Amino acid sequence: LAAEAYQQAIKLDVGEAAAHYGLARAFAPSDSEKAEAAIKAALKWNPQHVPSLLLIAEEHIDAERYDEAEQVLGNVAKVNPHQPRMLAFRAVIAHLKNQAESEKFNRLAALRYFPTNPEVDFLIGKKLSQKYRFAEGEKYQRQALAMNEHYFPAKMQLAQDLLRLGQEEEGWKLADEAFTADGYNVVAHNLITLEENIAKFRTLEEDGFVLRMDAREAEIYGHRVLALLKRARRELCPKYDVEIEQPVIVEMFPRQQDFAIRTFGLPGGAGFLGVCFGTVITANSPASQGASPTCWEATLYHEFCHVVTLNKTNNKMPRWLSEGISVYEERQADKTWGQAMNPKYREMILSDEFVPISKLSGAFLSPKSPLHLQFAYFESSLAVEFLIDKYGIETLKRVLVDLGAGMPINESLARYAGSLESLDAEFAAYARKQASNLAPDADWSTPELPRRATSAMISAWLADHPNNYAGLGRLARQLMNEGKWNEAKVTIEQMRKLYPEDESAGGAVSMSAEVYRELKDDAAERKALEELAALSDDDVDMFGRLVELTSKSGDWQAVKMHAGRWLAVNPLVPAPHRGAAAAAEALSDDGLTIESYQALLLLQPFDPADVHLKLATVLERRGDLATAKKHALLALEETPRFRAAHERLLAIVRKLDENAEKPSPKEVETK
């Protein structure tokens, strides 16, 4: 709506710089190209337009381009050397460069003509919080409120900072005060509504973790979340020489909107699965993920890695390094987690989309597309892999120590690499080698074929381009569409030889499984799906089919494994629990059997009486006769004429009676 109004203003006066600036601000959150074009237009009509220059400087600060930001702020100073926001930005840069005297000087200069201006400290604190320096941001917001206790932006920012620091009692209190003062403020309203929703969550506390989840979800898989978090701490804290002293708070939201409000203050953030603030993690639960679920175990492992690195550096690390280490450690923990090289990333690395290490943080700021954001994560992890391969994990840890002491990242890297220029060149060579090694014999060019080409037409084209991977994929799919399964199988095998690591939905391994299923070759289909399972962590259809095939062949260890991986993606559907229960029964794993049947009952199965009976049976075997009796009765409550449940109940009651007749140890001792 704002954009529409500013566009109308520009039509009325095309030379009005303020209108172009307003348009840039309207587009900034959603369309970086349009925002950039609007700022250029504003400066075309007024090269000294201070708000536009400040917006550019702020973008440079966000992307950690501090030298460029200083140049732009210098241009503002030529117009007005006492401009408060300009001086506040200089204080921010000085703080981030660990230049305490310069920070103090610029802050005081910003307050020179208005000593109680709360906006100065608010702005400095807000920018520090955006760099994940919440404790430092908190200090500035308190200073702003000391100048003006009614300054609403500082109160809201302080509330969010405290919530991200785990200081929840004061954080919620401030949010409530802000909402009372201005009931129309969207962020305050959202936070108060969210507080009411979180109050209904179940809290699980164990070994230094405070886990908050939807009550039903906590019963179904809360123990799995805690087990994953404890594994992450066990593996990552010693590796990075970190001890987490305060409790780690983890909140999992079944509604994406609630996750976004807790994390950002406003709805949105659809591309985020989880966020870590230091010792507070927020994450989407599987309930919020819809038709394209992801592996929640990988997400939480990734976020706990942030807990480790942020605590080691006192939250003083660039985003690319923080994300790069987390994605890298995902791959170390499980080769199917994290991100791997793929044809799209290969193309981007070998083109001008590649970003040097020294500029990687900027890749996360206003990416051109969701693909470019994902590529920023992958390239950052590749940079970490390069640093560890070349300099070792100990050097990486020394870099983290440098950051914790306040040293800028590029300065720290230059200490160990000789110079930033040589580091950029070496990383570029490393990344391009990795990209070139992806299916090196494959032809990755786009096939010049009509949209509705027949298999004969594609085959004729492939005669001159025998290793064109996309062309072979087109041929295989067309042969499958034509019902020529054996011919498709030959083409797919050729694709698999060229690119055996293809985990994509329409890739060679996936199509191979599809062909073998059509040919009713269960063994070959299972082999293909297990190859795919070794590459992918979130394909629930694949896990479901593997559970079906391995159950059919009686390979219960495999059933247990594949059902477990399915639960790591979506524990909120009955099928994986049913598979896990069947495997656990066959393997005499009573603990998993009970866990699986209890989860099934919470998911409202179509046969609750049968599940209650099976649960009663295993509980009886374990000696928990009282609970076994309860579930036998519940089975009969569902189906009063269920003969097997009657028999089980009678057997349990007899055992209870026998136990009641036996003298207690005290009675035996007295006699």
Side-chain angles (χ1 to χ4, degrees), residues 585 590-591 593-594 597-598 611-633 635 643-659 662:
E585 289 268 26
D590 288 348
T593 305
I594 293 168
Y597 285 138
Q598 287 174 334
V611 177
H612 279 298
L613 174 60
K614 287 177 176 176
L615 191 50
T617 303
V618 68
L619 287 166
E620 179 191 359
R621 188 165 67 238
R622 289 283 289 262
D624 188 352
L625 297 177
T627 313
K629 178 183 175 182
K630 171 188 167 186
H631 283 284
L633 287 168
R643 181 179 292 273
H646 279 287
E647 293 172 353
R648 182 55 49 212
L649 179 61
L650 286 170
I652 293 168
V653 169
R654 286 193 198 102
K655 287 184 180 179
L656 284 167
D657 290 343
E658 288 171 9
N659 290 346
K662 290 179 183 177

Side-chain angles (χ1 to χ4, degrees), residues 368-414:
K368 296 178 186 175
S369 69
L371 172 64
H372 284 80
L373 179 59
Q374 289 305 310
F375 179 62
Y377 280 91
F378 172 72
E379 195 189 336
S380 296
S381 75
L382 197 60
V384 169
E385 186 178 307
F386 158 71
L387 291 170
I388 292 173
D389 283 356
K390 184 168 178 61
Y391 301 101
I393 187 73
E394 293 303 319
T395 298
L396 179 63
K397 288 194 285 187
R398 283 197 287 272
V399 169
L400 297 180
V401 171
D402 289 346
L403 294 173
M407 185 181 292
I409 178 63
N410 288 347
E411 186 178 326
S412 176
L413 289 173

Side-chain angles (χ1 to χ4, degrees), residues 476-485 488 492 511 514-515:
R477 179 55 64 187
Q478 184 60 33
L479 289 168
M480 290 162 71
N481 292 341
E482 294 172 6
K484 299 174 181 177
W485 303 104
I492 290 167
M511 285 196 292
E514 193 177 338
V515 166

Side-chain angles (χ1 to χ4, degrees), residues 249-277:
I249 298 169
V250 180
E251 296 174 348
M252 297 185 71
F253 295 91
R255 296 199 321 155
Q256 195 279 335
Q257 177 175 300
D258 285 347
F259 160 76
I261 290 168
R262 175 67 169 95
T263 307
F264 310 112
L266 293 167
F272 289 86
L273 300 172
V275 171
C276 173
F277 300 110

Side-chain angles (χ1 to χ4, degrees), residues 148-350:
N148 182 348
E149 63 180 324
H150 302 296
Y151 187 63
F152 189 86
K155 184 168 283 194
M156 279 309 309
Q157 185 65 44
L158 179 57
Q160 293 185 80
D161 285 345
L162 291 170
L163 291 172
R164 290 160 180 165
L165 287 165
Q167 298 175 35
E168 296 169 331
E169 186 177 348
E170 187 182 0
W172 290 124
K173 181 184 174 186
L174 279 170
D176 187 57
E177 287 177 9
F179 181 66
T180 302
D182 182 2
Y184 290 95
N185 183 275
V186 175
V187 175
H189 174 270
N190 286 340
L191 285 175
I192 294 305
T193 305
L194 176 66
E195 184 185 12
E196 294 170 1
N197 292 340
I198 290 178
K200 300 171 188 172
F201 280 14
R202 176 80 53 80
T203 299
L204 307 175
E205 294 189 48
E206 195 173 303
D207 293 350
F209 289 102
V210 178
L211 172 63
R212 298 191 184 111
M213 305 173 67
D214 170 80
R216 175 170 164 270
E217 290 190 32
E219 287 199 45
I220 294 170
Y221 70 102
H223 62 287
R224 290 181 177 272
V225 175
L226 286 169
L228 184 281
L229 291 168
K230 286 188 280 186
R231 174 197 165 188
R233 183 178 60 196
R234 191 169 59 247
E235 293 175 353
L236 294 169
C237 285
K239 185 172 184 177
Y240 287 92
D241 305 325
V242 171
E243 287 186 19
I244 311 296
E245 296 179 357
Q246 66 188 97
V248 176
I249 298 169
V250 180
E251 296 174 348
M252 297 185 71
F253 295 91
R255 296 199 321 155
Q256 195 279 335
Q257 177 175 300
D258 285 347
F259 160 76
I261 290 168
R262 175 67 169 95
T263 307
F264 310 112
L266 293 167
F272 289 86
L273 300 172
V275 171
C276 173
F277 300 110
T279 53
V280 175
I281 294 172
T282 59
N284 283 296
S285 92
S288 70
Q289 294 184 26
S292 301
T294 58
C295 179
W296 60 264
E297 286 190 351
T299 298
L300 287 182
Y301 196 94
H302 176 109
E303 297 306 330
F304 186 80
C305 187
H306 284 311
V307 173
V308 173
T309 54
L310 288 173
N311 275 271
K312 188 172 182 71
T313 61
N314 302 313
N315 281 40
K316 297 176 182 178
M317 63 189 308
R319 184 174 176 186
W320 77 263
L321 184 60
S322 183
E323 297 296 356
I325 292 175
S326 284
V327 175
Y328 170 81
E329 288 298 347
E330 278 187 77
R331 289 201 297 267
Q332 302 308 300
D334 187 316
K335 63 182 181 180
T336 68
W337 290 358
Q339 297 189 66
M341 184 74 72
N342 62 40
K344 203 69 196 168
Y345 292 165
R346 175 190 179 277
E347 179 186 340
M348 294 173 84
I349 287 173
L350 297 176

